Amino acid sequence: MEREVAIVGVGWEGFQPTTPHYSYKELIYQAAQKAYHNANVDPRKDIQSFVTVAEDFIEGTSIFDEYTPDQLGAVLKPMHTITGDGLHGLITAYLMIRSGICKIAAVEAHSKASNIKTLSQITHYALDPMLNRPFEFHPDFIAGLEMARFLHEAHITPEDCALVVQKNRRNALENPSAPYGFDYRLEEIQDCQPVAYPLLESHIAQPADGAIVVVLASREIAESLTVEPIWILGVGWCNDMYNLEYRDWGHLPYVTKAAQMAYHQAQIQTPSKKIDFAEVDDLYAYRELMSLVALGLISKHELPDALKMGKFHSTGQLPINLSGGSLGMGNLLEANGLAKLVEAVLQLRGQAGKRQLSFPHIGLVQSWRGIPTSSAAVVILASS
Amino acid sequence: MNSNPYVPVVSLTEDDFSNGKVLFRHDKLDARYAWDTGIAIGAFLGGLKGGVILGSYCATCRKIVTPPRIVCEWCFRPMRRLVQLADTGRVNTFSLCYVTWDVKRISEPEIPAVIEIDGASPGHGFLHKIGEISPTEVHIGMRVQAVWKPAAERCGSITDILYFRKL
């Protein structure tokens, strides 16, 4: 397995329903200075390239890349912004280092969801204007359609999805950065208003603010900076078509393709045996289960029993979303992938506090850009 | 009229749209935001409400910038100290705009200008506009002073300064 690029620093700020004390720039700055301290680098002298991720509609500012350099220490340095999840940004920086363009790069993603007063309208605007928007459904209807088909095909129930909610929000209780930790009883999760049946309100990750910065370095630099580089073994990304009409509603082929790309690079033939833990998309509770199947970490028919046996719990055979996931940390919009990546880095470093696993070696991180997208990214990490 | 007899052309009128002869779909985005001003810009806007212009001092670069910020973009060290500046300055650059933001032509131009504020380091100031002056008189380097809204009308906005006028 190759060890050419490593994560050498992580920093984050926020992960709160609101952050009125900071502007988005100040939120990013707080995360950046922590990441640079963690990596023991000076952004002005040491970091050679910067990648940020943002979506203009979410920011409320066109050409948002203009607004990111100063709070990252990136003024008059090579930098660019891409419209994607934080993991897409991380993969971009990884490729830049692998191709020799730079040796140290920083990646940034953030959410100021609390500043968006019409978030569902912004999401609605991602739908096809001719064929889908005229119905004026709340955009969560897409999750309802997907969940209904997946449950039908996998023979699992909304109660099984409630188990995911219960697990992730309990996990969040052990994560000081997660604002949505709670020890729910199953009946409390199920006794919630439907949003788009079978999707209940309790199945949906609630928005949160936060910023995350990650520093990556080439092997020679990484080993000089830290005794605990976290190696990137494999990366993968994939998009399906946007079209709602032609989707394979019961499966996530784009997650499977992204994972296969990452497994191939990491030389992993049997992921369910190699991966020690995973942080996967759980913007909706059912998506965690769909993603696990798509990632090849479990088969559909094993799923109901695995859920009942607690296979994905912190003490289970394959711990999933120890961070609390998006259900526990909040929906950080384009920063969701990096929030999960931070957890994987902490676990592999042995710095995850009360939720620390015993000597994990390989962790998988997977993200999705949310409805209505079919956009996924996968990163596989290993400890030193 | 079809100027090329080999290419069939159909002319459209406004009525063709309003009568449904041409299919199209209108949509309107309801995008509303309420941005947190944060520490530095919050202090700046609060200062304007109180009738003062604030900047921040970088102890490493030994410079003062306005509007204030919490990090120096050049040395990446924190800028913790706010300083009160004068409400006077000098025109760094300006333009005479004969078209409004919504593309209406006007005969009396709007005059956006970057004002270097007295007390801030050279080259530091903010965008505002010039008033009470004939457009032909405005020039780079012109000394100016803020004309404030009455205190009771100020609300913590960049427009609490109505404009800058020639000193």
Side-chain angles (χ1 to χ4, degrees):
Chain A
M1 290 182 187
E2 67 169 44
R3 284 175 154 74
E4 296 297 331
V5 179
I7 292 165
V8 295
V10 290
W12 66 97
E13 182 68 36
F15 298 13
Q16 289 295 326
T18 62
T19 48
H21 47 301
Y22 287 136
S23 67
Y24 74 85
K25 279 176 169 280
E26 292 165 351
L27 198 66
I28 294 169
Y29 168 60
Q30 296 299 337
Q33 55 96 7
K34 288 177 185 175
Y36 302 152
H37 175 77
N38 191 239
N40 194 26
V41 294
D42 177 340
R44 302 300 293 154
K45 293 180 189 154
D46 303 323
I47 297 182
Q48 297 158 335
S49 202
F50 298 79
V51 182
T52 65
V53 298
E55 161 67 54
D56 288 358
F57 267 166
I58 287 173
E59 304 299 337
T61 307
S62 299
I63 319 175
F64 187 75
D65 59 316
E66 297 300 300
Y67 291 81
T68 52
D70 47 334
Q71 61 268 26
L72 287 172
V75 170
L76 286 180
K77 299 191 87 173
M79 78 151 293
H80 68 283
T81 300
I82 60 174
T83 307
D85 176 79
L87 283 193
H88 290 104
L90 184 104
I91 293 170
T92 305
Y94 166 83
L95 295 174
M96 288 166 68
I97 294 173
R98 282 299 309 268
S99 59
I101 290 172
C102 61
K103 291 186 175 175
I104 309 184
V107 182
E108 179 274 330
H110 67 277
S111 160
K112 260 289 195 178
S114 68
N115 287 187
I116 309 167
K117 298 300 153 193
T118 51
L119 184 55
S120 63
Q121 287 284 321
I122 299 291
T123 309
H124 187 245
Y125 236 61
L127 293 172
D128 183 285
M130 300 288 181
L131 300 175
N132 302 147
R133 272 189 234 167
F135 294 114
E136 297 187 340
F137 295 133
H138 186 284
D140 279 336
F141 86 94
I142 296 168
L145 295 175
E146 191 171 62
M147 181 178 175
R149 184 73 204 182
F150 174 66
L151 264 54
H152 172 74
E153 291 194 15
H155 303 292
I156 61 171
T157 64
E159 290 71 34
D160 293 325
C161 298
L163 288 169
V164 174
V165 178
Q166 186 183 53
K167 167 181 71 71
N168 290 3
R169 297 197 64 169
R170 277 182 180 163
N171 284 350
L173 286 170
E174 303 298 339
N175 182 356
S177 299
Y180 293 111
F182 207 91
D183 186 10
Y184 277 115
R185 294 195 298 271
L186 277 179
E187 57 270 25
E188 290 172 320
I189 296 165
Q190 289 162 232
D191 185 26
C192 257
Q193 294 288 331
V195 174
Y197 186 83
L199 184 75
L200 306 182
E201 203 172 2
S202 55
H203 295 165
I204 305 172
Q206 297 305 302
D209 294 355
I212 303 152
V213 173
V214 179
V215 183
L216 290 78
S218 64
R219 178 159 47 87
E220 61 192 277
I221 301 285
E223 288 176 339
S224 71
L225 283 174
T226 175
V227 293
E228 51 192 18
I230 301 303
W231 299 102
I232 298 175
L233 299 187
V235 299
W237 65 98
C238 185
N239 277 46
D240 200 348
M241 57 187 150
Y242 80 95
N243 199 309
L244 296 182
E245 290 76 6
Y246 301 151
R247 281 189 185 185
D248 182 354
W249 285 96
H251 304 87
L252 304 175
Y254 49 98
V255 174
T256 301
K257 290 269 186 186
Q260 285 169 346
M261 185 176 167
Y263 293 146
H264 177 74
Q265 187 186 3
Q267 297 172 22
I268 291 175
Q269 277 85 37
T270 317
S272 56
K273 290 185 181 162
K274 279 282 184 185
I275 305 292
D276 295 318
F277 70 96
E279 290 282 314
V280 307
D281 162 45
D282 65 329
L283 286 173
Y284 303 93
Y286 76 90
R287 286 283 305 197
E288 175 172 308
L289 305 177
M290 268 189 112
S291 298
L292 292 174
V293 173
L295 290 164
L297 295 174
I298 193 160
S299 70
K300 259 184 206 170
H301 14 277
E302 293 172 311
L303 205 47
D305 282 346
L307 282 166
K308 287 173 183 68
M309 302 292 288
K311 178 173 178 167
F312 308 126
H313 283 210
S314 55
T315 52
Q317 196 184 338
L318 179 61
I320 301 296
N321 287 329
L322 287 158
S323 63
S326 297
L327 288 163
M329 293 191 288
N331 179 356
L332 292 155
L333 306 178
E334 303 292 27
N336 282 323
L338 291 192
K340 292 170 189 295
L341 181 107
V342 164
E343 175 68 16
V345 169
L346 296 180
Q347 287 288 346
L348 292 167
R349 282 179 177 173
Q351 297 173 346
K354 283 184 174 178
R355 59 195 190 284
Q356 180 63 52
L357 296 172
S358 315
F359 308 111
H361 294 299
I362 297 182
L364 178 146
V365 185
Q366 176 252 327
S367 68
W368 169 55
R369 288 193 72 206
I371 54 169
T373 78
S374 56
S375 171
V378 172
V379 173
I380 298 170
L381 302 174
S383 61
S384 302
Chain B
M1 198 175 104
N2 187 354
S3 57
N4 185 339
Y6 302 105
V7 180
V9 172
V10 178
S11 298
L12 295 175
T13 66
E14 190 65 31
D15 285 346
D16 291 331
F17 287 87
S18 49
N19 294 335
K21 282 180 72 178
V22 178
L23 299 180
F24 60 90
R25 181 176 141 69
H26 276 301
D27 204 353
K28 194 168 71 174
L29 175 61
D30 180 16
R32 283 177 278 135
Y33 308 86
W35 293 285
D36 295 317
T37 56
I39 298 168
I41 298 300
F44 179 67
L45 297 177
L48 294 180
K49 190 173 181 181
V52 298
I53 294 173
L54 294 175
S56 57
Y57 175 68
C58 174
T60 308
C61 300
R62 296 184 179 176
K63 69 173 186 178
I64 295 171
V65 304
T66 185
R69 49 199 313 147
I70 66 166
V71 57
C72 172
E73 73 267 39
W74 295 111
C75 68
F76 207 65
R77 300 304 304 166
M79 299 175 89
R80 293 293 183 215
R81 192 162 58 146
L82 290 172
V83 288
Q84 184 173 334
L85 306 174
D87 69 350
T88 54
R90 190 179 295 276
V91 173
N92 177 306
T93 186
F94 72 97
S95 180
L96 306 178
C97 293
Y98 289 90
V99 178
T100 61
W101 71 273
D102 53 351
V103 208
K104 287 183 188 133
R105 188 154 283 283
I106 47 177
S107 53
E108 278 302 306
E110 296 176 312
I111 311 175
V114 174
I115 315 291
E116 292 183 19
I117 298 295
D118 290 342
S121 298
H124 287 281
F126 50 79
L127 175 77
H128 217 283
K129 57 184 184 179
I130 308 290
E132 285 185 44
I133 193 168
S134 164
T136 55
E137 283 183 54
V138 186
H139 58 274
I140 287 173
M142 185 173 81
R143 298 279 304 149
V144 291
Q145 180 167 29
V147 175
W148 296 85
K149 274 184 184 171
E153 293 175 24
R154 294 199 289 258
C155 61
S157 162
I158 190 73
T159 55
D160 285 349
I161 296 173
L162 291 168
Y163 51 84
F164 282 79
R165 65 175 169 80
K166 187 178 178 184
L167 258 184

